[in-house]
């Protein structure tokens, strides 16, 4: 049950090949870090790397832009497993890490932690155990998030709605949306399309309607609650209450819509770019109605032991108490070490930036592990996202689309998962 994130590629990462020999060569004194710079974090990553090199003058770090998103990084890593040069540390998302672990492409970390005196218990338990499979951990939390709602407080006030909270249920959201549309003539909420993680955001809505994507490995897209959630989403789009956008943060930040459903990792950018005042809130309930997400740092299995030792030292540094505070304050992601939240620097920041506190509070009060059908089944997120585009943008029949999605997911589980478990 600790499996909380995973396999998003259409083809199994690493396929049936062994990752044992690829990438063994390489200068062990140079750590190659493959990242997509989550939350526009490249400058922050470079600053942290510079400090690491000062503290470790015998080691150099090469930061490589391995893709523009998590999927592109995973695709590049997958290609390297076929015979290319492997990195020492790679960003692995909630829908990519598990497939690599299942195919033994990444290294279990327990022995490396022990050999290098790294305290894995200092990570937030829920976030650390998101990378656990068969009693071993295949990554450490790095850019971790939950999905949040962002609300333009000027719009809420103009529509006569509370300005200090979000809607408590999706039914109350519908009531809010009616007032916003009538009084302000704009959509209440903008959300990304199916190619930009709508499958992640919609998962919380499904839970709030007492549905799920799956019961462990059994798909449940045709369950009553899941169908009801799909019809609700489709109806909100039809009414003009919800707008599907390819760039929802811009639409919200410019004031074109009243609300935004996005990752907490968008907070740092919105603080800089938004032209409207806003608050962050939990997703509508009943609880739990939000998913954890984001990415961790993994170490390839097919590199030398010396490279692995340096890699785990670097991953520990990038996510230590001080650096997870620096990273989270710059991006909006959550701190991943237990002591970070009570660190005086972080306490002061949260008191001055209450919007950043929402994700931390929601983690303990309104989240649960993601459904296997999204995070463990190869291509799960992309498959669900395409189905959601069909019912929202394409306005297709929800029951028909979800029935096809259910059958396809069953086939992938039988073909790609069951033989390896």
């Amino acid at each position: 049950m600790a499996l909380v994130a995973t396999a998003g590629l259409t083809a199994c990462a690493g396929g049936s090949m062994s990752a044992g020999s690829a990438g063994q060569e390489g200068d062990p004194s140079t750590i190659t870090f493959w990242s997509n710079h989550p939350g526009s974090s490249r400058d922050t990553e470079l600053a942290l790397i510079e400090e690491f090199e000062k503290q470790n003058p015998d080691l150099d770090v090469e930061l490589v832009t391995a893709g523009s998103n998590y999927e592109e990084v995973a695709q590049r890593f997958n290609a390297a497993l076929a015979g290319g040069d492997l990195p020492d540390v790679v960003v692995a998302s909630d829908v990519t890490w598990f497939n690599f672990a299942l195919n033994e492409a990444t290294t279990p970390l327990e022995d490396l932690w022990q050999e290098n005196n790294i305290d894995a218990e200092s990570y937030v338990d829920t976030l650390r155990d998101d990378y656990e499979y068969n009693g071993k951990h295949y990554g450490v939390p790095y850019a971790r998030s939950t999905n949040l709602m962002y609300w333009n407080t000027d719009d809420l006030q103009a529509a006569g709605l509370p300005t200090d909270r979000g809607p408590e249920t999706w039914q109350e959201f519908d009531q809010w949306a009616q007032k916003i549309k009538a009084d302000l003539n704009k959509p209440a909420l903008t959300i990304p399309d199916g190619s930009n993680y709508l499958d992640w955001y919609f998962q919380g809505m499904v839970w709030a309607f007492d549905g799920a994507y799956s019961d462990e490995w059994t798909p449940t897209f045709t369950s009553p609650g899941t169908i009801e959630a799909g019809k609700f989403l489709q109806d909100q789009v039809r009414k003009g209450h919800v707008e599907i956008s390819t760039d929802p943060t811009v639409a919200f930040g410019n004031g074109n819509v009243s609300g935004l459903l996005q990752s907490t990792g968008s907070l740092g950018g919105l603080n800089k770019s938004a032209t409207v005042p806003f608050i962050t809130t939990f997703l509508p309930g009943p609880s739990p109605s939000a998913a954890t997400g984001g990415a961790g740092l993994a170490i390839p299995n097919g590199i030398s032991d010396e490279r692995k030792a340096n890699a785990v030292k670097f991953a520990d540094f990038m996510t230590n108490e001080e650096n997870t505070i620096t990273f989270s304050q710059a991006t909006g992601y959550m701190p991943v070490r237990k002591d970070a939240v009570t660190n005086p620097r972080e306490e002061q920041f949260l008191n001055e930036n209450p919007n950043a506190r929402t994700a931390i509070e929601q983690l303990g009060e309104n989240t649960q592990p993601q459904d296997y059908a999204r995070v463990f089944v190869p291509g799960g997120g992309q498959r669900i996202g395409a189905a959601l585009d069909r019912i929202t943008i394409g306005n297709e029949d929800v029951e028909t689309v979800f029935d096809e999605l259910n059958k396809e997911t069953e086939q992938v589980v039988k073909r790609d998962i069951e033989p390896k478990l």
Side-chain angles (χ1 to χ4, degrees):
M1 292 303 295
L3 299 168
V4 177
T6 69
L9 297 179
T10 301
C12 273
S16 59
M17 72 190 68
S18 168
S21 59
Q24 283 278 359
E25 295 79 9
D27 181 0
S29 65
T30 298
I31 298 169
T32 305
F33 175 32
W34 282 11
S35 177
N36 64 307
H37 321 305
S40 302
S41 60
R42 184 176 183 275
D43 289 345
T44 302
E45 289 177 333
L46 286 171
L48 296 179
I49 287 169
E50 182 179 2
E51 182 60 31
F52 177 82
E53 291 175 333
K54 287 181 182 177
Q55 296 183 23
N56 300 274
D58 56 332
L59 295 174
D60 295 319
V61 179
E62 180 186 5
L63 178 62
V64 175
T65 302
S68 62
N69 55 41
Y70 297 137
E71 284 69 34
E72 289 185 3
V73 175
Q75 289 164 9
R76 180 168 176 173
F77 182 56
N78 195 49
L81 294 171
D85 292 330
L86 291 172
D88 297 275
V89 178
V90 60
V91 167
S93 82
D94 58 343
V95 296
T96 62
W97 78 265
F98 175 72
N99 214 14
F100 291 120
L102 186 65
N103 287 277
E104 300 181 351
T106 48
T107 303
L109 299 178
E110 273 68 17
D111 290 344
L112 288 172
W113 284 337
Q114 183 175 3
E115 293 164 3
N116 294 276
N117 299 314
I118 292 172
D119 180 16
E121 294 299 316
S122 64
Y123 287 104
V124 176
D125 293 345
T126 302
L127 302 181
R128 180 196 62 234
D129 292 344
D130 280 353
Y131 307 96
E132 183 179 352
Y133 171 61
N134 271 355
K136 300 288 186 179
H137 292 80
Y138 291 83
V140 296
Y142 176 52
R144 294 307 310 276
S145 59
T146 69
N147 30 54
L148 296 178
M149 284 190 126
Y150 298 74
W151 287 100
N152 179 333
T153 49
D154 282 352
D155 279 2
L156 295 180
Q157 184 174 18
L161 297 167
T163 59
D164 60 350
R165 68 173 181 89
E168 296 179 355
T169 66
W170 283 106
Q171 289 73 26
E172 185 178 31
F173 166 82
D174 180 57
Q175 297 170 7
W176 284 32
Q178 292 178 46
K179 287 188 63 63
I180 289 170
K181 186 172 180 60
D183 295 352
L184 307 179
N185 194 30
K186 64 172 69 173
L189 187 69
T190 180
I191 58 178
D193 62 20
S195 65
N196 290 290
Y197 308 114
L198 177 55
D199 52 289
W200 182 47
Y201 301 105
F202 178 65
Q203 190 170 206
M205 183 186 293
V206 170
W207 293 340
F209 280 83
D210 200 28
Y213 288 160
S214 61
D215 179 5
E216 294 192 353
W217 297 112
T218 303
T220 56
F221 295 104
T222 56
S223 71
T226 310
I227 294 292
E228 184 182 3
K231 290 182 176 180
F232 179 84
L233 174 62
Q234 185 181 69
D235 185 56
Q236 293 299 304
V237 173
R238 285 174 175 170
K239 290 177 177 178
H241 294 173
V242 171
E243 176 185 85
I244 306 294
S245 173
T246 56
D247 202 346
T249 54
V250 172
F252 173 76
N254 290 342
N256 295 329
V257 293
S258 298
L260 169 70
L261 180 52
Q262 260 288 6
S263 166
T264 181
S266 299
L267 179 58
L270 280 169
N271 282 336
K272 297 175 183 178
S273 65
T275 60
V276 299
F278 64 89
I279 59 170
T280 58
T281 72
F282 286 14
L283 266 64
S287 177
S289 62
T292 57
L297 301 178
I299 297 173
N301 202 23
I303 61 175
S304 68
D305 290 343
E306 185 177 2
R307 289 178 66 186
K308 288 179 183 179
N310 290 335
V312 78
K313 183 177 182 179
F314 174 71
D316 181 60
F317 175 85
M318 292 293 285
T319 60
N320 68 25
E321 181 180 334
E322 287 298 323
N323 291 336
T324 192
I325 290 173
T326 297
F327 187 83
S328 67
Q329 291 182 5
T331 61
Y333 287 104
M334 296 182 292
V336 301
R337 300 278 185 161
K338 294 174 182 174
D339 291 343
V341 178
T342 57
N343 183 293
R345 181 160 70 102
E346 179 70 358
E347 285 186 329
Q348 180 179 352
F349 176 80
L350 293 176
N351 288 335
E352 296 172 354
N353 300 273
N355 279 336
R357 191 184 296 275
T358 307
I360 298 171
E361 293 177 345
Q362 183 169 238
L363 177 65
E365 299 177 31
N366 194 40
T367 61
Q368 69 178 11
Q370 294 194 60
D371 295 332
Y372 285 22
R374 177 177 189 267
V375 291
F376 296 153
V377 177
Q382 295 170 332
R383 191 177 301 109
I384 298 166
L388 295 176
D389 278 346
R390 290 174 62 187
I391 68 169
T392 54
I393 300 171
N395 199 30
E396 294 185 41
D397 179 70
V398 172
E399 293 185 14
T400 300
V401 172
F402 281 15
D403 181 62
E404 293 175 6
L405 177 60
N406 208 76
K407 291 176 180 176
E408 187 176 358
T409 305
E410 286 178 341
Q411 293 172 353
V412 176
V413 170
K414 290 179 181 179
R415 183 190 67 215
D416 296 338
I417 297 294
E418 288 182 359
K420 297 182 180 182
L421 292 178

